[in-house]
Amino acid sequence: MISQVFLTVKGDFMALDLINIRRNLHQIPELGLKEFKTQTYLLEKIADITAGKDFVEQRTWRTGILVFLKGSAAEKTIGWRTDIDALPVVEKTDLPFASQHEGCMHACGHDIHMTVALGLLNELVQTQPKNNVLFLFQPAEENEAGGMLMYKDDAFGSWLPDEFYGLHVRPDLKVGDIATNKGTLFAGTCEVFITFKGKGGHAAFPHNANDALVAASYFITQVQSIVSRNIDPIEGGVITFGSMHAGTTNNVIAETATLHGTIRTLTQDMNVLIQKRLKEMAQGIAVSFGLKADVELKQGGYLPVENDPNLAQQLMTYFENRSDVHLIDCLPAMTGEDFGYLLNKIPGVMFWLGIDTPYALHHPKMSPKEEALPFAVTAISGFLKTRIL
């Protein structure tokens, strides 16, 4: 039983058990709202950990899981959230426990996140806490803003936390590093879909067509002027188009061109401004080329991750006083996270956990140092106990 292992052994044996769980999860990555094997695996481990604990309740929401520890004299509910989905990335780590699901990989470290959450659950379930604790195993962080979907669907019900905490792995930080701040940690994001619609034709007779590819190309180059000329340089913003598809062959003028991109800003007001200017620019370029542009902006649950200043200060003070933690008061990053939606509704804190790998998040060779697992469980459970006991 996993709970017996955690309860009775320390050091290398504890680390090895966490590592095995992480490796098992790493082999079964699944995309958002399709995390069926992942959910089954997590439910089995949660059942082991919580066996015989009559103060524990549990329910599921689609592929998500909520585990509730009822406090003995509860005055509030403390929440811990982990995401459980993976990315459509072809793994290239050559690890013996690499993904068994072709074209899918835990390249963002959610296998680490889930393993830490299971370790924290085991630590906190050994004795009934004074305050309530909610563990959220949330699906669809990468693509459908699962946190927003659960909140809007009232999946939390009476278990909605008064404080919410969560982490994200960070490759460029060392094992033992925890980084956060008392303000905005991650950017808010907006997904952008644009289709330029013109008139196809023969490459030899461009005057009889309206070339959507050329219009899209002009847009790609000019859209960067929004950041350089419409945005306060102190605030900053990012516009990236990572996908463009147009045409079928060399001698046929493209009738349509589709673009897929992202907007990232540290404030919601700035995101709205960029959305407005981007749409105006797309429509203006379309008119100048005599064609049409359809613009779809999808933001929804990817708001800026804004830490509650008071709760962040308490978390940072706790970690500052631990000899095994190197706390970093860090600047915001342009990464996006749907935990921002939940923190917009519920005060809480997100922080970075160092995993020390040369490969960036979402890279097909991203491989965290597993020594981060026992460190995270030990350090974070210590903090959470100060909130629930």
Side-chain angles (χ1 to χ4, degrees):
M1 297 276 288
I2 186 174
S3 56
Q4 293 173 335
V5 173
F6 275 122
L7 185 60
T8 59
V9 300
K10 302 293 183 182
D12 292 340
F13 291 101
M14 178 183 174
L16 180 63
D17 194 62
L18 290 168
I19 288 168
N20 286 337
I21 293 171
R22 180 258 165 167
R23 292 181 179 184
N24 289 336
L25 287 166
H26 188 81
Q27 293 179 75
I28 55 170
E30 296 165 296
L31 301 182
L33 301 178
K34 298 179 180 178
E35 307 98 330
F36 305 113
K37 290 184 180 179
T38 303
Q39 184 188 51
T40 298
Y41 183 89
L42 290 170
L43 286 171
E44 291 174 355
K45 297 304 177 188
I46 291 167
D48 288 344
I49 292 170
T50 61
K53 306 295 184 181
D54 59 6
F55 57 89
V56 177
E57 298 178 53
Q58 178 182 304
R59 59 174 176 247
T60 60
W61 178 90
R62 299 179 70 169
T63 49
I65 306 168
L66 301 97
V67 183
F68 187 75
L69 282 58
K70 185 177 180 180
S72 59
E75 299 175 349
K76 58 184 176 180
T77 298
I78 306 300
W80 179 267
R81 173 268 198 178
T82 179
D83 34 20
I84 70 172
D85 59 326
L87 288 160
V89 171
V90 177
E91 183 163 351
K92 297 180 181 179
T93 61
D94 295 323
L95 293 168
F97 54 89
S99 170
Q100 297 177 358
H101 293 173
E102 185 176 355
C104 197
M105 177 189 175
H106 273 301
C108 203
H110 295 186
D111 51 341
I112 296 287
H113 298 178
M114 288 184 279
T115 305
V116 170
L118 289 173
L120 295 175
L121 173 61
N122 181 81
E123 289 294 319
L124 299 188
V125 83
Q126 298 306 326
T127 303
Q128 183 176 13
K130 174 187 174 183
N131 286 306
N132 302 325
V133 186
L134 175 72
F135 281 88
L136 170 62
F137 295 81
Q138 179 214 298
E141 187 277 324
E142 295 288 356
N143 62 342
E144 295 293 338
M148 177 189 71
L149 296 179
M150 294 185 74
Y151 186 89
K152 288 188 172 182
D153 203 32
D154 195 29
F156 297 97
S158 61
W159 295 354
L160 190 69
D162 298 292
E163 302 173 13
F164 230 151
Y165 298 90
L167 65 80
H168 202 296
V169 297
R170 181 159 161 173
D172 62 324
L173 297 182
K174 303 296 184 183
V175 173
D177 289 349
I178 287 177
T180 192
N181 61 37
K182 296 184 285 292
T184 301
L185 188 68
F186 294 170
T189 72
C190 177
E191 198 169 4
V192 183
F193 302 87
I194 300 177
T195 301
F196 288 94
K197 299 178 179 179
K199 179 182 177 183
H202 196 292
F205 307 105
H207 56 291
N208 293 327
N210 291 96
D211 195 331
L213 191 155
V214 172
S217 299
Y218 268 80
F219 172 78
I220 286 290
T221 57
Q222 293 187 34
V223 74
Q224 296 304 322
S225 67
I226 295 176
V227 172
S228 65
R229 286 296 174 267
N230 297 133
I231 302 305
D232 184 340
I234 301 300
E235 295 191 40
V238 172
I239 305 173
T240 296
F241 282 88
S243 174
M244 176 176 177
H245 296 274
T248 56
T249 189
N250 68 307
N251 59 355
V252 177
I253 290 174
E255 184 170 340
T256 62
T258 60
L259 306 176
H260 188 191
T262 180
I263 299 168
R264 293 166 184 262
T265 61
L266 297 178
T267 67
Q268 185 59 16
D269 288 344
M270 188 59 66
N271 210 294
V272 170
L273 171 61
I274 293 180
Q275 291 176 38
K276 176 178 179 292
R277 290 294 296 122
L278 183 147
K279 189 171 184 177
E280 291 170 348
M281 185 170 288
Q283 299 293 354
I285 288 174
V287 169
S288 70
F289 279 89
L291 40 73
K292 295 182 179 180
D294 291 336
V295 180
E296 179 186 354
L297 302 170
K298 181 181 176 183
Q299 182 168 42
Y302 296 91
L303 302 178
V305 174
E306 297 183 8
N307 289 333
D308 179 86
N310 293 328
L311 296 179
Q313 182 61 68
Q314 293 176 58
L315 178 141
M316 294 172 76
T317 298
Y318 175 83
F319 285 134
E320 270 183 332
N321 292 328
R322 285 191 67 111
S323 61
D324 57 340
V325 175
H326 176 223
L327 179 70
I328 301 169
D329 189 342
C330 66
L331 295 172
M334 285 296 180
T335 43
E337 242 284 358
D338 78 342
F339 196 45
Y341 183 90
L342 293 175
L343 291 188
N344 182 259
K345 306 294 183 180
I346 304 159
V349 186
M350 177 164 257
F351 54 88
W352 292 108
L353 175 71
I355 54 169
D356 193 14
T357 172
Y359 298 103
L361 296 173
H362 297 201
H363 192 283
K365 291 186 178 182
M366 207 280 286
S367 183
K369 281 193 175 177
E370 293 172 323
E371 296 92 326
L373 291 168
F375 161 76
V377 171
T378 300
I380 299 166
S381 64
F383 168 73
L384 291 178
K385 287 174 182 177
T386 68
R387 309 303 299 168
I388 66 175
L389 298 179

